[in-house]
Amino acid sequence: MLTNICLVLLTRLHRVHRFPTKLRSMCHCLYQVVSQRFSQSTPDAVWTVIGTVIFLRFINPAIVSPCESGIIDCKPTPRIKRGLTLMCKIMQNIANHVQFTKEQHMRPFNNFLQTNFDAGRRFFEEIASDIENFENGNHILSPYINDVNVLALHRLLWINQEKIGDYLSSSRDHRAIGRRPFDKMATLLAYLGPPDHRPLDSQWSSMDMTSTKFEEIMSKHNMHEKDEFKSLKSLNIFYQAGYSKSGNPIFYYIARRYKVVEVNGDLLIYHVLLTLKPFYHKPFDLVLDFTHTCADNRFKTEFLAKWLVVMPDHVYQNINFCFGYNCNSWVREYTKYHERILIPCKNSRKLIFIDHPAKLLDYIDLDQQKLPGATVSLEEDLKVFNNALKLSHKDTKVAIKVGPNAIQVTAAEKSKVLGHSVLLNDVYYASEIEEVSMLDDNQFTLTISNETGPLSFIHNDCDSIVQAIIHIRARWELAQPESVIVHTKIRPKDVPGTLLNIALLNLGSSDPSLRSAAYNLLCALTQTFDLKIEGQLLEATGLCIPSNNTIFIKSISEKLASNEPHLTLEFLEECIQGFRNSTIELKHLCLEYMTPWLPNLTRFCRHPDENKRQKVALILDKLITMTIDEVEMYPSIQAKIWGKIGLVSDLIDMVLDSFIKRSITGGLGSIQAEIMADTAVALASANVQLVSRKVIGRLCRLIDKTCMSPTITLEQHLMWNDIAILARYLLMLSFNNSLDVASHLPFLFHIVTLLVSTGPLTLRASTHGLVINIIHSLCTCSQLNFSEDTFKVLKLSLTEFSIPKFYHLFGISKVKSAAVSAFRSTFKMYRPTERPHSYTGTDRHFYNNSSEMEKLSLSSLEVITDALLEMMEACMKDNPDCEWLKQWTDLAKRFAFQYNPALQPRAIIVFGCISKTVTDSEVKQLLRILMKALESYTDMILIEAIVMCLTRLQSLLRSDSPIHMFLFWVAISVLQLEDATLYASGLALLEQNLHTLDGFGVFEDKSLQDTMMETRSELEWHFKQLDHSMGLSFKANFNFAMVGHLLKGFRHPSPTAVSRTIRILNMLQAIVAKPEKRDKFEVTQQSIAYLASLVAVSEEVRSRCHLKHRSTEMVESASCDSFIADMATSGMMSPMVSVTGTPIRQKSWDTLDQGAIANARVKAMHTNQQTGSPKVWRSMDEPAARHSFKTKRSSSMPTPKTQTQSQPQPHSQPTQERSARGSVSNENNILLDPEILSDYPTQALLLTVLATLVRHTTDDNEARFLYQYLAESSIVFNKVFPVIHSLLDSKINNVLSLCHDQVILNSVQSIIQTMIVCDEDELPPQQLSFLQSIGFGGLWRFAGPFCNKACDSDDSIKQTQNDNAELFANCLEAMVETCLPGDDFSVGNPYPSCLGINSNLTMSSSMSCLTVPSVHSSINKDALDLSLSAVANTNRMRHISASIPKNRAGSFKRKSSKKRPPQAFE
């Protein structure tokens, strides 16, 4: 039967004219190649090759698998398939021209084979013959020519064209084949260009995808037959097993088995569709196992949405219950992030979260539960520690469960996940535990490999927990199989390299016979492989080779390395492999003969063949591993290997890539990272300039790239580990001038200012150590010649940076020695088998606990920058052609004018400190950045940095720049923000502004008030809003408005700010006196505000500005004790004050007995009438009093004037009054002079200033002086004095209850008597309403203490500050766009070409949109990958550099200008 079928098949095959033309053409080519390559073979052998190929690859597969080949629709039965297999064996043996010998059951067919051998040969000859009319048969190929096949052919030829050319060039018979076809092909490919690549996924994404279309596409491409699909099915990510109590089938999805980088997501969807297909229209249950799910198992956002589109709707409808098992913290963050997509699942009754297998029994019987064994085993043999506390930004109460293979941290309180209350359970396997350490008796930390920081816990039994964790970790390590040495197969091309290493290595053996054999092997190698050794070797027997032949071996190796460089890769691989298994003596020998081959790696590091480049990287990686593992050989490897590689310039980039990659794999502070940093020193020893330039350039590029995706702090950035590791490299290289400070000093200082006081303690100490080593290198550098004075400066700086003050500036004030802290992580060398029992991965001093780290203040950065600048300028004096400072300034300017919350404030400070010139455009740009920062009012550090920078730069502006005047109002507006830190910066800017303008002589002929009010005239509408918001009107009274802003400085917590406030008031006192050339202590309408504010703190003011009355004159016959006794007798004393005067409770004067007050008032009036004193205390209700008040002016009280009279001309009126009184002497210069202070508003403002000072003072001496002046004013300005009653009310109560100072009590007695005699019905308008009417309703409020940000919960205060910031931003925008000079400018690339950093920044009018977003904390969630959730605990988030600015009320816009939409730097 089989023979008949085979015979029929052979008969049909003999119809050669119907045989596929392409196959015939291929057979003809194959015949030609085989005939030429094996010309000595018989013709039968050639035909056998062709037959074997045709039957084995084409005909027999179609026979054996007809269904898969598309011949039939259904699979054949096993019996038929067996017959087809036997038939194929017969046909294959005919093609091979052999009979059956081994298979007994097939021997009966040998006669049939013998009969048909000739027929088979004829068939092969015919199909391999040349096709004469092949061109005429091209139409047969047309069904096979389509775009897909043409694209595939194009890609195949494009990728392999070099291999084809190399083969043709190296082939011995290339002349027979010829290169002309290849040249034509190369020309055609060059014309066509690279092939387009459009993967299948892109085709699918372009379609309107539905479940039906998706399944059709997958079926069309036979995805279910792909090996990748079969491999995915074997992972058991999704499977069906068992039935629920309701009789529904149960499907399981094991989330941890899906790896986003390894598993094709579309194939997973297809697999789920096929698995669910039989149950589409039936109810079913779904179990989602979230055990140990993390970011590696996530569905990306677009893929998650794809599930909802591709899966049929009836599938979701038929889900009876969906059980979520072992939900953890990551799943919670994932669902929260994708809440918009998962909204249908929120609060769904079908969704049930299960936190224990026992709860699953309510729905599924135990024998029907098919969860993975790894999930179920987590609940076995547990040690449970309840009532633990997990420390984080929000401390959480948890239970710690330690099992045989993992620990579980289960929350004690439920959290919300998709609207359901869930107990979160985080699982950490023993293999993930890197370190566990006790901090104290009740606290321990746990370091997990997938977490960026340690987890901290508090528990009463920490020791037991730690021991249990160490036990399971050690148990896991012991369970790991020992490393088995796998000998790689020797490939033909590896033979010379392998044998050469064997020969050279064994030439150093202690066995004489082995040395002789190795020598003869070396001779045979040189002859067999034609190695050029120049006749130095001769094979012989009986040679006596000494054991000390290292020099001979090294010389042979050097010659071979020079003459046979193509052996380099294979030889070095074998050397490294043999090195590991050799003795110490042979390892030293191996290093000697390996070293000459290392420079040859440059031939392959830029080779066009990708495989060779990868092999170079693999060799470098093996050398790094050898450096880390070989403890005893460590010094020799450093000197021999890396010292030699350091000489090869072309290898440095690739070596550094390998170093950094290995360092990052280990993590900051790991053994690998520290060894790599240490090895960089050996690398640089032979080529200091190149290595230092490469390392510094890489670090600068990384820091520069942080601006592309800025974060709030540098530690949160994704590139932080790379930056920190390279900073450690800098420290290692900084000793002995291995950083080439002469060439790189500006870049090193730039890096220091950006990284100072950043990161964990060890890295901060490293930055400090880097500065010390830089200074030391400057002192010892032979390239630079310094004078003795410069050396003194450098040595002084070297000492200065080592004092505790600079330790504090660098954020390491708690360390005893910075050098010890910088190298605290110095690695200990352990062999792989000598790892300590307590597993430790990373040094704990590299952990960045932000809550414990000292924050860098901008003033500290100023001090550091000034110290670095002093050194640089001292060095530049001896090197006049040096451009260090210009380079450093360009670097600082680059970062100052682009958005980066972590680095921009630092760069702005540095720019202000080191700049020697500044243009109007640069200052204008800073004000634009300030405007955008004020819009969001969240980044206080940036605002402070800009104000401090403006303070530094103002003196560098050209003298005729109008910006000087406007900076005065910028400083005033900063004070109005009421932030303690910004207030201090604003004071500094105001002081510098006044000093600069005074130095230019601006105030010699024109008053401060006229100058500044004229400056703001164009922006009066904006400034009027600011004045109204503050309750301090510059238009109503400029000088008192100034004092109102400065009084708050007396309450500043910083003594420096208080001192600066006093200096500014003294300066203003002198400035207002300049235009009229008078003494600055002379009391005038302009100077009284400043004199009154200084009276409590300046002895000179008190000595030059007298009181007209003394308290002893005002109360001559009454002592304090008698006064208190009289008040007690008359019933005026509070009943809560004891007889001895000891205060029991404070009481307001508003609750005093009104009858007693009336009696005292009558008594006082009677006394005054008897004595005839001119000081007549009259009630303002009496008509006589009004008449007298209007027509006759007493010596103590001025007649109030009309509104026009109350605002005299600033210069003329005081001059007339002063001239009427004659010359002013020290005796008649009275501070509270009613002849000078003749208008009602000025008197009220003066009294409010004094009352505000006494209200908030905490110093007894100041209070004593202020009460004396208030007592005087109560007599002199008795009609105005009631305005401040409410300000003094509680303060006087406090004095009467607690104070024992006689002077203060006498003054208070006088004040009280004045308050009593005033008729309440005749009081002027109350303090608040009257001050508001004259534009100073905020005078007393603004001068109060600063709000405590940590404790203040008053939302109204915060809202007021935000409103003031918005008004300031509006005003600043109008100022920048309309009033300030300066054009757009560009910041050039500050990096030299050798560093390889190319970028320019163009600062345009829309720069404000490019520098600072309107909301600093905003996150572009659409641009974030889900991996953000995995690092949520570290707050390492991506951040865009611009956002749409909000519309501000009253915002100024020019009609002729339009803002460009905000955008990020690309």
Side-chain angles (χ1 to χ4, degrees), residues 708-951:
M708 304 302 294
S709 55
T711 52
I712 301 300
T713 63
L714 197 59
E715 294 93 329
Q716 295 173 356
H717 203 279
L718 293 175
M719 294 182 183
W720 165 246
N721 285 335
D722 306 49
I723 292 172
I725 286 170
L726 280 173
R728 292 289 294 175
Y729 280 40
L730 284 188
L731 174 65
M732 300 296 187
L733 292 171
S734 59
F735 176 68
N736 196 29
N737 197 28
S738 292
L739 285 178
D740 189 17
V741 293
S743 303
H744 303 127
L745 188 63
F747 306 100
L748 293 173
F749 281 3
H750 172 64
I751 292 170
V752 167
T753 54
L754 295 185
L755 298 185
V756 62
S757 196
T758 303
L761 185 65
T762 303
L763 193 61
R764 294 172 179 231
S766 300
T767 307
H768 180 272
L770 173 63
V771 175
I772 295 291
N773 285 0
I774 289 172
I775 302 173
H776 183 269
S777 297
L778 285 172
C779 294
T780 58
C781 178
S782 60
Q783 300 169 297
L784 302 171
N785 297 317
F786 295 134
S787 63
E788 192 64 31
D789 292 339
T790 302
F791 271 114
K792 288 180 180 179
V793 172
L794 292 176
K795 291 177 181 178
L796 182 62
S797 299
L798 200 59
T799 305
E800 186 181 24
F801 271 91
S802 301
I803 62 177
K805 170 190 172 183
F806 273 84
Y807 275 25
H808 173 73
L809 298 178
F810 278 80
I812 52 174
S813 60
K814 297 179 182 179
V815 305
K816 295 182 179 179
S817 170
V820 172
S821 298
F823 291 100
R824 184 167 290 176
S825 64
T826 300
F827 50 90
K828 296 180 180 179
M829 291 293 190
Y830 295 111
R831 292 181 181 275
T833 58
E834 295 177 354
R835 187 184 296 276
H837 181 67
S838 179
Y839 184 81
T840 303
T842 305
D843 192 279
R844 59 179 296 206
H845 294 91
F846 276 95
Y847 293 144
N848 186 18
N849 190 343
S850 57
S851 60
E852 298 177 1
M853 293 292 103
E854 303 172 42
K855 303 293 184 182
L856 175 70
S857 66
L858 296 180
S859 58
S860 298
L861 182 60
E862 273 191 325
V863 175
I864 294 173
T865 306
D866 288 338
L868 298 177
L869 178 63
E870 181 184 7
M871 286 187 293
M872 180 178 283
E873 289 179 331
C875 297
M876 290 176 64
K877 288 180 181 178
D878 299 326
N879 298 273
D881 298 332
C882 180
E883 294 187 350
W884 285 344
L885 185 56
K886 181 181 180 302
Q887 288 179 315
W888 189 13
T889 305
D890 291 342
L891 288 168
K893 186 189 301 184
R894 174 184 176 82
F895 278 83
F897 292 118
Q898 60 180 333
Y899 173 63
N900 191 334
L903 301 180
Q904 189 179 17
R906 292 175 177 239
I908 289 174
I909 289 293
V910 175
F911 177 60
C913 290
I914 66 177
S915 294
K916 298 302 178 184
T917 59
V918 69
T919 63
D920 290 349
S921 299
E922 291 169 343
V923 176
K924 186 175 179 179
Q925 197 59 49
L926 286 171
L927 292 176
R928 278 201 181 103
I929 300 173
L930 177 60
M931 177 186 69
K932 297 304 296 183
L934 288 167
E935 287 181 355
S936 61
Y937 199 57
T938 54
D939 195 347
M940 298 300 180
I941 297 178
L942 178 60
I943 298 174
E944 182 188 3
I946 295 171
V947 176
M948 295 172 68
C949 180
L950 291 173
T951 305

Side-chain angles (χ1 to χ4, degrees), residues 1323-1341:
L1323 288 177
Q1326 292 299 313
Q1327 171 256 346
L1328 182 60
S1329 60
F1330 175 72
L1331 291 178
Q1332 284 178 342
S1333 68
I1334 61 175
F1336 281 86
L1339 178 57
W1340 60 274
R1341 181 197 61 79

Side-chain angles (χ1 to χ4, degrees), residues 833-1117:
T833 58
E834 295 177 354
R835 187 184 296 276
H837 181 67
S838 179
Y839 184 81
T840 303
T842 305
D843 192 279
R844 59 179 296 206
H845 294 91
F846 276 95
Y847 293 144
N848 186 18
N849 190 343
S850 57
S851 60
E852 298 177 1
M853 293 292 103
E854 303 172 42
K855 303 293 184 182
L856 175 70
S857 66
L858 296 180
S859 58
S860 298
L861 182 60
E862 273 191 325
V863 175
I864 294 173
T865 306
D866 288 338
L868 298 177
L869 178 63
E870 181 184 7
M871 286 187 293
M872 180 178 283
E873 289 179 331
C875 297
M876 290 176 64
K877 288 180 181 178
D878 299 326
N879 298 273
D881 298 332
C882 180
E883 294 187 350
W884 285 344
L885 185 56
K886 181 181 180 302
Q887 288 179 315
W888 189 13
T889 305
D890 291 342
L891 288 168
K893 186 189 301 184
R894 174 184 176 82
F895 278 83
F897 292 118
Q898 60 180 333
Y899 173 63
N900 191 334
L903 301 180
Q904 189 179 17
R906 292 175 177 239
I908 289 174
I909 289 293
V910 175
F911 177 60
C913 290
I914 66 177
S915 294
K916 298 302 178 184
T917 59
V918 69
T919 63
D920 290 349
S921 299
E922 291 169 343
V923 176
K924 186 175 179 179
Q925 197 59 49
L926 286 171
L927 292 176
R928 278 201 181 103
I929 300 173
L930 177 60
M931 177 186 69
K932 297 304 296 183
L934 288 167
E935 287 181 355
S936 61
Y937 199 57
T938 54
D939 195 347
M940 298 300 180
I941 297 178
L942 178 60
I943 298 174
E944 182 188 3
I946 295 171
V947 176
M948 295 172 68
C949 180
L950 291 173
T951 305
R952 292 273 191 149
L953 295 178
Q954 184 174 357
S955 60
L956 303 178
L957 275 172
R958 55 190 176 88
S959 59
D960 58 342
S961 173
I963 295 180
H964 288 292
M965 304 298 183
F966 285 102
L967 286 181
F968 171 85
W969 293 110
V970 171
I972 294 297
S973 299
V974 172
L975 300 183
Q976 294 172 350
L977 296 176
E978 295 191 68
D979 181 86
T981 304
L982 297 182
Y983 190 92
S985 303
L987 281 177
L989 178 59
L990 179 60
E991 183 182 30
Q992 180 63 50
N993 179 263
L994 292 173
H995 180 76
T996 302
L997 293 176
D998 194 26
F1000 293 156
V1002 174
F1003 308 122
E1004 294 296 331
D1005 300 317
K1006 194 173 183 180
S1007 69
L1008 173 66
Q1009 175 179 348
D1010 292 346
T1011 302
M1012 294 307 170
M1013 293 303 292
E1014 180 182 339
T1015 299
R1016 83 174 210 174
S1017 59
E1018 295 182 44
L1019 307 173
E1020 185 61 35
W1021 185 79
H1022 294 281
F1023 281 109
K1024 190 174 182 180
Q1025 291 186 70
L1026 281 169
D1027 291 355
H1028 179 74
S1029 175
M1030 295 304 301
L1032 295 169
S1033 174
F1034 281 92
K1035 190 172 183 180
N1037 194 312
F1038 181 89
N1039 299 302
F1040 273 104
M1042 282 295 299
V1043 168
H1045 284 84
L1046 294 173
L1047 287 182
K1048 199 175 188 71
F1050 288 126
R1051 308 281 77 82
H1052 200 281
S1054 170
T1056 303
V1058 177
S1059 301
R1060 178 170 281 121
T1061 301
I1062 297 173
R1063 288 202 306 271
I1064 293 174
L1065 287 169
N1066 278 300
M1067 188 185 302
L1068 289 169
Q1069 178 189 344
I1071 287 174
V1072 296
K1074 282 190 175 183
E1076 296 185 1
K1077 310 296 188 294
R1078 61 169 179 260
D1079 184 10
K1080 67 177 183 177
F1081 291 101
E1082 182 179 341
V1083 178
T1084 65
Q1085 288 273 2
Q1086 287 73 36
S1087 65
I1088 185 60
Y1090 309 114
L1091 294 172
S1093 61
L1094 290 169
V1095 72
V1097 295
S1098 174
E1099 176 64 32
E1100 190 175 10
V1101 171
R1102 292 194 296 272
S1103 64
R1104 297 292 300 276
C1105 302
H1106 301 287
L1107 287 173
K1108 189 173 183 180
H1109 309 85
R1110 295 296 178 184
S1111 59
T1112 55
E1113 298 172 356
M1114 291 183 283
V1115 189
E1116 295 176 353
S1117 61

Side-chain angles (χ1 to χ4, degrees), residues 1360-1377:
T1360 300
Q1361 292 176 342
N1362 291 333
D1363 291 343
N1364 289 340
E1366 184 174 356
L1367 291 173
F1368 183 15
N1370 294 340
C1371 181
L1372 200 57
E1373 181 181 10
M1375 182 189 302
V1376 169
E1377 298 298 336

